[in-house]
Amino acid sequence: MKKTILAIAFMALTLFSCQDKTKEKLEDAKDAVTEEVKETIDSAKVKAENKLDSVKEKAKTKMDSAVIKSANKMEEAAKKLKESVKK
């Protein structure tokens, strides 16, 4: 009888001990996954910001080019207008 009670007590102690280790492992796994997700989000955010900056720079370059072309055409039109007025 004593052996049976001791065996049951030992099994119960083992189960509680394993349960604590499992909880610790689950917490560690949760922390690791959380950290990995944060890193992935940060990485995606940086990539998106870089892409956005690149697109903004290209758009600015195209706008500047269009403004310069428009200014040149305006100057040519003004010269032609002056020449036609002189005649």
Side-chain angles (χ1 to χ4, degrees):
M1 185 74 171
K2 285 184 181 180
K3 287 183 180 180
T4 306
I5 293 173
L6 287 174
I8 292 173
F10 180 72
M11 288 178 20
L13 182 63
T14 304
L15 285 175
F16 287 118
S17 175
C18 290
Q19 189 178 20
D20 289 340
K21 289 179 184 176
T22 303
K23 284 182 181 178
E24 288 175 16
K25 287 181 181 178
L26 286 173
E27 285 294 321
D28 291 343
K30 183 182 103 177
D31 292 342
V33 169
T34 301
E35 187 63 31
E36 188 174 331
V37 168
K38 284 180 182 178
E39 288 175 6
T40 302
I41 289 171
D42 290 344
S43 175
K45 183 180 175 183
V46 167
K47 286 179 184 178
E49 287 173 348
N50 289 341
K51 187 70 172 177
L52 183 61
D53 289 344
S54 175
V55 169
K56 283 181 181 178
E57 190 62 35
K58 286 180 183 177
K60 185 177 184 284
T61 302
K62 286 184 179 182
M63 285 292 287
D64 290 345
S65 176
V67 167
I68 290 171
K69 286 179 183 177
S70 296
N72 288 339
K73 291 199 180 221
M74 290 289 284
E75 285 179 12
E76 287 178 20
K79 284 180 185 177
K80 287 181 182 177
L81 185 61
K82 282 182 184 179
E83 289 176 7
S84 67
V85 170
K86 287 181 183 179
K87 293 182 181 180

